[in-house]
């Protein structure tokens, strides 16, 4: 089995992304709600896809070799080197807490009932680098509707697999394992919030969070928890790992916000992976460019207080 495709391998994949799907990716839901038209590249062009405003999807190579996945080590190159150890089949997700139909569901059962879509999203790490990634997956809201959310639920908690024999980074106490994340229920139900099972239409590689990971495009990357084995509906704000490690620097909300700096660096601009070494940094966009879609979730909240 091929584990590392070259850019040439993925180029034809661009063709299956029709215009409507690509629009859905940028703007979220309503075609034309953001930016302007997106063009899929033809195969003779360089890899990647143009987004409105001169943004181009990152290459398969960029997306799958420059990663944060501390379960496999802390260097950006550790996940691609070590994540092949992870057994991703069989895989099940335990869903519990305030749900109508709790249980342990096989990933096949969970995914088979979902509408799978391709969406191109900006991805902004709290470390001030970014990419543009063509995800494949489904809306988390669909899954939550399927299991039935009880009326008392206000938050969704997520956990990554704990398996130090395969996740060799878990033998060091870099993070209080297992990695945990959480969303408010309305954030989890938002149509932009995805569970991703693929990239460029290919099965998601282990280093990117196989077999299933969260993608919340308006939040810093650490919210997008990988290799999920547990989802819990709760009435209390869940723990999230980076907040547990350094609460002053990493909050629960972690909405991309160019006006709220990290205590140790500015969040006003970012380095787009794949831009040349001497390329100008790009301005960071409010809510990572998804302001029209998500600002309403935070009406009346002080975003510097709830960082
Ligand atoms: N389980 C787990 N999920 C995780 C991480 C991690 O270390 N462990 N890193 C986060 C961070 S900081 C980022 S930026 C993104 C990186 O996703 P990518 O490697 O697919 O670009 O994954 C997030 N999800
Ligand atoms: Mo990150």
């Amino acid at each position: 089995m091929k584990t590392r495709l070259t850019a040439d391998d993925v180029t034809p994949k661009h063709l299956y992304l029709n215009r409507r799907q690509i629009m859905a990716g940028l703007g979220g839901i309503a075609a034309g709600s953001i930016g302007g038209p997106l063009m899929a590249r033809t195969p003779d062009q360089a890899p990647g896809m143009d987004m409105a405003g001169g943004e181009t999807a990152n290459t398969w190579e960029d997306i799958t070799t420059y990663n944060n996945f501390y379960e496999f080590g802390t260097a950006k190159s550790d996940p691609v080197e070590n994540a092949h150890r992870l057994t991703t089949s069989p895989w099940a997700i335990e869903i519990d807490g305030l749900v109508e139909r709790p249980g342990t569901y096989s990933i096949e059962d969970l995914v088979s009932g979902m509408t799978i879509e391709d969406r191109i999203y900006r991805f902004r790490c709290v470390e001030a680098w970014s990419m543009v990634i063509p995800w494949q997956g489904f809306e988390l809201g669909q899954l939550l509707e399927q299991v039935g959310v009880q009326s008392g639920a206000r938050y969704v908690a997520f956990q990554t697999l704990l398996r130090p024999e395969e996740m060799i980074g878990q033998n060091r106490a870099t993070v209080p394992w297992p990695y945990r994340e959480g969303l408010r229920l309305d954030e989890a139900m938002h149509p932009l919030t995805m569970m991703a099972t693929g990239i460029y239409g290919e099965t998601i590689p282990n280093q990117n969070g196989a077999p299933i990971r969260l993608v919340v495009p308006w939040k810093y990357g650490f919210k997008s928890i990988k290799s999920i084995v547990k989802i819990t509906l709760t009435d209390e704000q869940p723990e999230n790992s980076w907040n547990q490690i350094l609460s002053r620097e990493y909050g629960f909300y972690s909405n991309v916000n160019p006006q709220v700096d990290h205590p140790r660096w500015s969040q006003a601009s970012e380095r787009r992976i794949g831009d040349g070494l001497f390329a100008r940094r790009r301005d960071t966009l409010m809510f990572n460019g998804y302001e029209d879609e998500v600002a309403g979730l935070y009406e009346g909240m002080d975003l510097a207080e709830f960082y």
Side-chain angles (χ1 to χ4, degrees):
M1 197 182 68
K2 257 205 287 197
T3 53
R4 287 179 69 174
L5 301 180
T6 66
D8 286 346
D9 287 318
V10 301
T11 303
K13 289 285 170 206
H14 304 160
L15 297 176
Y16 73 79
L17 283 163
N18 68 40
R19 186 184 158 81
R20 192 191 60 78
Q21 288 170 314
I22 293 170
M23 292 304 294
L26 220 209
I29 324 103
S33 65
I34 261 193
L38 291 163
M39 301 291 289
R41 282 177 190 264
T42 57
D44 57 335
Q45 291 177 292
M49 282 171 278
D50 285 337
M51 292 177 71
E55 289 183 80
T56 300
N58 280 86
T59 61
W60 175 268
E61 184 75 11
D62 286 341
I63 296 167
T64 61
T65 61
Y66 186 94
N67 299 100
N68 273 333
F69 200 170
Y70 278 25
E71 283 83 343
F72 296 104
T74 54
K76 295 289 182 284
S77 57
D78 285 341
V80 68
E81 277 170 31
N82 297 323
H84 63 88
R85 297 165 195 264
L86 180 64
T87 310
T88 57
S89 179
W91 194 273
I93 303 184
E94 185 187 350
I95 305 183
D96 68 1
L98 300 171
V99 287
E100 305 292 349
R101 288 171 287 282
T104 301
Y105 297 88
S106 77
I107 186 156
E108 292 81 9
D109 285 351
L110 272 185
V111 174
S112 67
M114 302 291 142
T115 306
I116 305 293
E117 289 177 70
D118 295 282
R119 295 188 183 181
I120 308 168
Y121 284 160
R122 293 184 200 87
F123 187 90
R124 169 62 154 82
C125 176
V126 72
E127 298 162 338
W129 56 264
S130 65
M131 295 201 205
V132 173
I133 304 183
W135 301 106
Q136 187 170 65
F138 55 89
E139 291 179 8
L140 173 61
Q142 271 190 79
L143 187 155
L144 295 177
E145 268 162 30
Q146 195 118 325
V147 296
V149 177
Q150 290 182 14
S151 61
R154 293 182 53 220
Y155 295 91
V156 187
F158 304 86
Q159 270 183 40
T160 294
L161 177 70
L162 180 66
R163 193 184 285 162
E165 317 86 81
E166 294 181 359
M167 296 181 134
I168 58 172
Q170 288 180 334
N171 295 300
R172 288 174 51 209
T174 48
V175 172
W177 310 111
Y179 194 99
R180 290 182 180 82
E181 259 307 335
L183 295 173
R184 236 171 42 190
L185 184 61
D186 58 348
E187 298 175 325
M189 295 299 291
H190 193 282
L192 284 178
T193 302
M194 275 182 97
M195 294 289 271
T197 53
I199 292 174
Y200 272 118
E202 301 284 342
T203 300
I204 194 167
N206 287 4
Q207 60 270 29
N208 293 89
I212 189 161
R213 59 96 52 92
L214 183 68
V215 178
V216 193
W218 71 93
K219 292 178 178 285
Y220 292 121
F222 68 83
K223 297 297 289 183
S224 292
I225 181 173
K226 297 176 168 182
S227 304
I228 295 168
V229 291
K230 188 168 184 191
I231 299 177
T232 307
L233 279 288
T234 87
D235 56 0
E236 275 173 38
Q237 184 174 301
E239 297 274 17
N240 60 308
S241 294
W242 278 100
N243 182 252
Q244 288 178 295
I245 296 165
L246 270 170
S247 64
R248 215 175 59 81
E249 301 191 1
Y250 308 101
F252 173 77
Y253 283 93
S254 300
N255 292 315
V256 175
N257 189 335
Q259 284 138 39
V260 177
D261 287 337
H262 184 278
R264 291 182 280 133
W265 58 83
S266 166
Q267 294 292 28
S269 70
E270 64 201 52
R271 180 173 63 94
R272 176 66 50 84
I273 303 302
D275 282 354
L277 205 54
F278 304 105
R280 207 181 69 81
R281 292 172 69 86
R282 296 178 187 236
D283 291 339
T284 290
L285 305 173
M286 187 65 198
F287 295 113
N288 206 23
Y290 302 98
E291 185 169 14
D292 287 352
E293 287 85 358
V294 303
L297 297 172
Y298 310 104
E299 236 164 59
M301 279 176 70
D302 178 347
L303 297 176
E305 186 186 345
F306 297 99
Y307 56 96

